[in-house]
Structures are given as structure tokens and as C-alpha cells.
Amino acid sequence: MLLWVCLASPNRSEPAHPSRALLIGISDYQNQNIWPKLPGCLQDTRCVREFLTDSQGSVRLPPKTVTVLDQQRSTRAGIEEALEQLFRDAQPGETVYIHYSGHGGLLPSGRSGESDSLDECLVPIDAPDFRSRDFSAKVIRDNWLADYLDRLADRVRQDGQPGSVLCVLDCCHSGGMSRAPGRVLRQAFGATAYFGTKASTRSNIISRAPHPGWVMLSACRYDQAAEETDLGGAFTMAFLKALRDSRLGSDANYYDLLRLIRSNPIASQQTPQAAGQRELLVFGGSLKSHHSWISVLESNGDQVVVDQGTLTGVANGTEIGFYPLGTNLPKGEPLATAIVFEEGPFHSRARLNSHASATDLSCAVGWIRRFPPQPPVTYQVEGSRPTSISKWLKASFTGHMREVNQGAELLFQQIPGRLRLVRMEDGSTLFDGPFLQNELEPVLKAEIQNRFFFRIPSNDTESLKLTFSPERPDNTYRLGESAELKVENTGPEPLFISVVYVDSHGKMQCMYPEPDQLAEWKKMGSADPPLRLRLDFTPPTGLDRLRILATREPIDVGFLLNRAQRDPHSNRSDGWLLSPPILLRITP
């Protein structure tokens, strides 16, 4: 059930700048009673063009390779033709940059793929009243744009060339907001759109897997407004400032760039989003792997508030090291360290042990340096010669495992010619074969790591309703079969739903939301369509486990999976619900 993505090593010799660009800004809409004037949009395109063509800057593109579409030509036909011309001009190995500043909108979806039955769209200069019948024919839907980006990325990456595409939208897209402050287009999952069109219900959430070669940066989350400043769009200004920041190294990827953009106070009232292949180097075609980190939300004197809490294993006594932006694995001395002293389910407050500037901390990369002592996993050994196994476990897993005489969590059974490892609470076999330390060690490490998540007591037995189709006695399925999991929130409050799956060998996978779904992740309430997920049962066989986590605030489940190494303090809160573990028996 676990899917892995193999990432290539970064190629530092490639040019870290775009090869050509198309800039679209619309300030003076023809129908300003419906689409108000946006003065900053033309200013955005001016500022971006100056950045790209500045002879003293870092990019220094020839002016002829930067096309600024005249806003009077920015109809649907005009925008699409400009994009198609960009496609024809693009060459293998190039990095292509597209920027759009203007209004964004929502309209009923014309095909499956949107969880709320609404398509987001770019609003051209001549867009009519959103209630008119020809409105959908005048706008550019997100599905069309995504298909175009797929084609363009394939073109610049053909024959194995390291080309890429960056699309920046300072408007409503994955954020689902109008650029004009306060003009909310979409408020909640399944809610009435700004256009006055009630979203028809659709009972599935279909993710679009990231297509290799393109990244999309958008101004805000679906429930926020993208703001204007005297200089232009807040997001565009933060984006350009981040590109000029000396902390953005030559090996920075779009995760690093997004982190720097979000640290800018100018965009503090909105949360910029990224979609697509965010591991790509900025303006490059190679990849740098990404890890889940801890971020500083607030800094005040000798205290910081971080974005992880007891639900992801960060509790009182946890020591965090903060490293410079772009740190992929912690090396050397950190900028600062801090000890958590006030834990919460989602956020924690920590006291700094050393000084670092608030500016550096705002985009620093946080890593766990030391967890508080954790309860060890208990085990027993059965057989005629248990000494060798016990010695190896005590030497290799000091502090993580403890031998007991009864009531153990794991049982090692010595059988002539082989060793069997059994999980006692459900009787599942984790290992069965010759006693080879290099094969047994990763199984035990995975079991110790994921036990954190399954030790958290369930605090929900009614609100989260799970249904499998087809239903099977004891949830038993054969290899090669598929089933549908339906999750419903029948409680009184809409919550963010996460689905965590652990196979019989202890490998954990966040089935929902996947990384490219985070920008569109919405709360789900009792009146909303259920979440439906397809389960394809693949090796290994054995007893798999699944849990549903429902939270009032979004939670970084990726951090939970990567850093789950301790049993958190029990922190009861009405801000989250956790289902009991669901057992699935996978047979040959």
C-alpha cells in the first residue's frame, strides 16, 4: 500500500533562471460593476518584467523573451492564444515562467474532478456577469490550465531535458478567493459560491497526481482574500522579494521558496499555496528531496510558537534545533535551539536557549534534536536459546525496547531454522524467516515508530463513520482486490479529515490528503458528501491498520509520519477526533 517517489540528485550546474516568460495583468475590467478595478495588477506585471530583465539582476533575460500581454487583448481567446504561442516558442531544456494577476472566480464544474463540484477559473477582461449564460464560455477553467501545463512541461522536458514550468497566480485559484480584498468567492466545502450558484453535491474527492515538470504558486488559501498594496499584489511583492533574498541558495526548491514567501509580513493575512512538483529546484529542472519540518509561527523575545504539537509527537521537554532556510538534513550547529514548555495538540510554545533574529527564525527549518523519554516497547523471547536475540535487542534498541516476563507487546518465537515476530494485541506476524539482523532491524524500527500513532487513545466512537465496499467478514481481502473506503463526519462540527494507513510491515502512508491536495483540503461536515478512497491491496500480506484523524485545524500528517517516535502526553481537546484502529486482513 505504500508508494515511493524516487528523487534525482540536484544538478547544480544548470542555469537558475527562466528562459522565457509570459506576463498577464488585468486592472481595468470592462464590466466593473461586477469585476471591480484592480490597480495593482498592471503594476505586478511591470515589477515582474523589471525583475526578469534587469541587466544588473540575477536573471537578466533579454527583453524579447519576456512577453507582456496587453490587457485589452486579455480575453479568453487572447490569453489562450498567448499561451499557445508560448508553447510553440518553448524549447526542450528551457524553464518557462507564466504570471497572472487579476480576478479569479468559481463556476459549476463541467466534469468530475472537483470535490465541491466547482471549477476555479481565471477571469478575462471582457468577462460578463457571472449569472449570465455565457459566463462559462468566457473564462479559463483550472482544468484547461492544468492540461496546458502538462503539455508545456512535456515539451520542455522531452528527450530527457531538465526543463520546467512555473505558473504564478496572484488571484483566486487553489486559494478560491477574489483578488479584491473582502470579496470571498468560496467559504467552505459544499457552501454557496459567490456567484449565487449552489454547488451540486459530488460524493468523491479525486486527486490529480503532480505532473512532472511544473509548479503552480497561488496567492492564498481557499478561505482567504488575496490583498493589494500600494506597490501591487501582496503575494507578487512577497514572491519577488523572496527571489532576491540571499538566503535562497542555488539549491533551493519550491518548498524553500514558499517558506520564504510565507515569512514576509506583507502577506501575513493570506497563506500562499504551492501545487505540482514542488521538489523542483527554483527555475530549474532537477529535484531536491523534501522533508517535513517544524516552522516558527510567532517569535517574541526568548519564546517561539511552533506549528507542531502533541498530535505529531512534540510535547513538553522536546528540544528543537532551528537551521537556515534550505537545510535538507541538519548539519553543524543550529541558528538556535529551544525547549517546548507549553504543549498543545496542534501548536507548542518553546523557550529559546540561544539568540537568533526574528527574521531568520521566521523562515528557519526546525528539526527535533531530542525527544523526552518515551515508554519502551516491551517484548518476550520464547525458545531454547533466547540469549543471542536478547543481547542484540538490548545493544541495538537501548531505551526503545525492554524485555518483560509477561504482558509483552511483541513476541519473538524461536523455531528450528527461523525466527517469528508476532504483534501480541492482534496476533499478526511481522517477521518470519532466518534470524538475519539486517532484515529484522528495519521491521522493528518501523514498528517502534508507528506505535506512537496507535498508542494515542481513541476519543471518538460515533462521529466518524467508516464503510467498506464490498464489505467482508473481519475486513478480509485478497491480494489484487480493491475496496472503497467511505468516511463520513456525522458530528455537529465540520473538521479536516486525514486517513493514515499502516501495512503489516509497519510502513505508514498518509492516504488523504496527499501533498498536492493540501491547497484544496477543506473541512467536511455532516451535510457534505463523504470522502471516498480506493484501496488497492498489494503485498505484503498480513494485518494492516487504518485510522481516521479529524481536526479543527489543518495538521501536517507528513510530519506525524516522519517524526512519530514517542508516546505523546494525553491531551484531551474537543479540537480533534481520532477513530479506533481499523484492522484489515490481507491474504494471498
Side-chain angles (χ1 to χ4, degrees), residues 46-57:
R46 294 188 194 102
C47 290
V48 173
R49 186 179 187 280
E50 289 175 4
F51 170 78
L52 295 176
T53 60
D54 183 358
S55 61
Q56 304 300 315

Side-chain angles (χ1 to χ4, degrees), residues 241-278:
K241 185 174 181 180
L243 289 176
R244 294 186 174 100
D245 197 305
S246 61
R247 292 172 294 179
L248 194 73
S250 60
D251 64 343
N253 62 18
Y254 285 101
Y255 282 105
D256 300 323
L257 177 61
L258 183 65
R259 195 178 192 85
L260 202 52
I261 293 170
R262 287 179 172 178
S263 71
N264 193 322
I266 197 174
S268 61
Q269 300 304 310
Q270 59 199 74
T271 308
Q273 303 293 312
Q277 199 172 23
R278 291 158 290 182

Side-chain angles (χ1 to χ4, degrees), residues 399-516:
H400 296 284
M401 300 189 70
R402 178 169 60 90
E403 189 169 8
V404 296
N405 295 321
Q406 58 183 1
E409 296 169 283
L410 299 177
L411 175 63
F412 293 85
Q413 295 177 319
Q414 286 183 309
I415 302 169
R418 69 182 198 274
L419 179 71
R420 179 182 296 158
L421 174 60
V422 179
R423 186 187 293 126
M424 295 300 290
E425 70 257 36
D426 55 34
S428 59
T429 299
L430 301 178
F431 181 88
D432 192 351
F435 177 35
L436 299 175
Q437 295 179 7
N438 62 334
E439 293 185 10
L440 186 58
E441 184 172 355
V443 175
L444 285 172
K445 285 184 176 179
E447 179 67 11
I448 292 169
Q449 181 170 337
N450 78 63
R451 271 186 174 273
F452 147 75
F453 187 53
F454 287 92
R455 278 177 171 171
I456 303 176
S458 170
N459 63 345
D460 176 74
T461 57
E462 298 179 356
S463 296
L464 300 177
K465 182 180 178 182
L466 281 66
T467 308
F468 290 93
S469 179
E471 290 185 284
R472 296 285 174 78
D474 298 325
N475 291 333
T476 299
Y477 297 89
R478 294 183 180 277
L479 288 179
E481 289 188 324
S482 298
E484 180 187 76
L485 169 64
K486 182 173 71 172
V487 183
E488 298 174 90
N489 175 17
T490 62
E493 181 180 8
L495 296 168
F496 291 93
I497 303 295
S498 305
V499 181
V500 177
Y501 195 98
V502 183
D503 71 20
S504 58
H505 283 190
K507 294 181 180 178
M508 300 182 76
Q509 175 187 359
C510 181
M511 296 190 64
Y512 183 81
E514 295 185 38
D516 65 311

Side-chain angles (χ1 to χ4, degrees), residues 65-86:
T65 63
V66 180
T67 300
V68 180
L69 185 64
D70 185 278
Q71 71 166 345
Q72 297 307 318
R73 293 181 52 214
S74 297
T75 63
R76 173 178 173 173
I79 293 174
E80 290 184 356
E81 172 53 33
L83 289 169
E84 291 300 338
Q85 184 61 53
L86 183 69

